[in-house]
Amino acid sequence: MDGEISSIVSSNPLCTINPSGMPNDDGDKTCGYFEVEVKLGGFYDQIAIGFATSPLYPREEFAGYLEGSIAYHGDDGKIFLNGKIIGNLCNFGSHDVIGCGITNEGSVFFTHNGMLINLYHAEMRGAIYPVVSLRGKYASV
């Protein structure tokens, strides 16, 4: 069980990004946002939090490793977009609250215990699904 990955994806989209990437006319720049409280996790019990463009993201793949996904990985603080590292933030683990949001332009931002920590121009489009990945026998959110 320690090495197994389990990715959980929402069956309903959090929001939908206009294919052209143009913002909606309502003036609100944030399309969607969610938070996860880490109960137990860290270097050995890995957790990743982010978005995917399909509700069929493979359960056995870590968020951010495949095309159409982005995620913040708690064990090393890396941000993965479509399988490539695009940034480094601080690690996160037990008792942290991690937020993940997306703008109407398809940019993704993360929060750590309520503080905005970065914005990435991910250019995500279409339906956006929250995804959380866990690896380790004690990892829990």
Side-chain angles (χ1 to χ4, degrees), residues 2 41-46 75 135-137:
D2 315 298
F43 184 76
Y44 295 107
D45 294 306
Q46 299 167 328
D75 61 314
R135 177 188 297 147
K137 65 168 119 168

Side-chain angles (χ1 to χ4, degrees), residues 7-10 12-15 34 49-58 63-64 66-71 82 100 102 108 124-132:
S7 288
I8 305 144
V9 183
S10 172
N12 295 316
L14 180 66
C15 63
F34 77 102
I49 297 164
F51 291 120
T53 56
S54 170
L56 303 176
Y57 196 85
L66 298 180
E67 190 71 27
S69 69
I70 185 171
N82 302 326
C100 186
I102 189 161
V108 174
M124 298 189 84
R125 301 285 182 260
I128 305 298
Y129 298 85
V131 59
V132 176

Side-chain angles (χ1 to χ4, degrees), residues 2 14 27 34 41 48 70 78 94-95 98-99 117-119 126:
D2 315 298
L14 180 66
F34 77 102
I70 185 171
K78 289 183 171 45
S94 300
H95 312 293
I98 304 302
I117 50 178
N118 220 338
L119 176 73

Side-chain angles (χ1 to χ4, degrees), residues 3 5 14 35 40 52 66 92-93 116 119 122:
I5 298 168
L14 180 66
E35 289 184 333
L40 189 61
L66 298 180
F92 66 83
L116 180 64
L119 176 73

Side-chain angles (χ1 to χ4, degrees), residues 13-98:
L14 180 66
C15 63
T16 301
I17 305 294
N18 185 335
S20 70
M22 296 301 293
N24 296 337
D25 293 333
D26 61 9
D28 186 12
K29 296 224 183 282
T30 302
C31 177
Y33 177 80
F34 77 102
E35 289 184 333
V36 173
E37 180 181 356
V38 179
K39 299 293 184 187
L40 189 61
F43 184 76
Y44 295 107
D45 294 306
Q46 299 167 328
I47 299 171
I49 297 164
F51 291 120
T53 56
S54 170
L56 303 176
Y57 196 85
R59 182 175 184 218
E60 67 282 353
E61 289 290 342
F62 234 58
Y65 285 177
L66 298 180
E67 190 71 27
S69 69
I70 185 171
Y72 177 12
H73 290 227
D75 61 314
D76 57 11
K78 289 183 171 45
I79 304 296
F80 285 85
L81 171 66
N82 302 326
K84 294 182 178 144
I85 298 168
I86 62 165
N88 288 294
L89 303 174
C90 58
N91 299 15
F92 66 83
S94 300
H95 312 293
D96 286 328
V97 176
I98 304 302

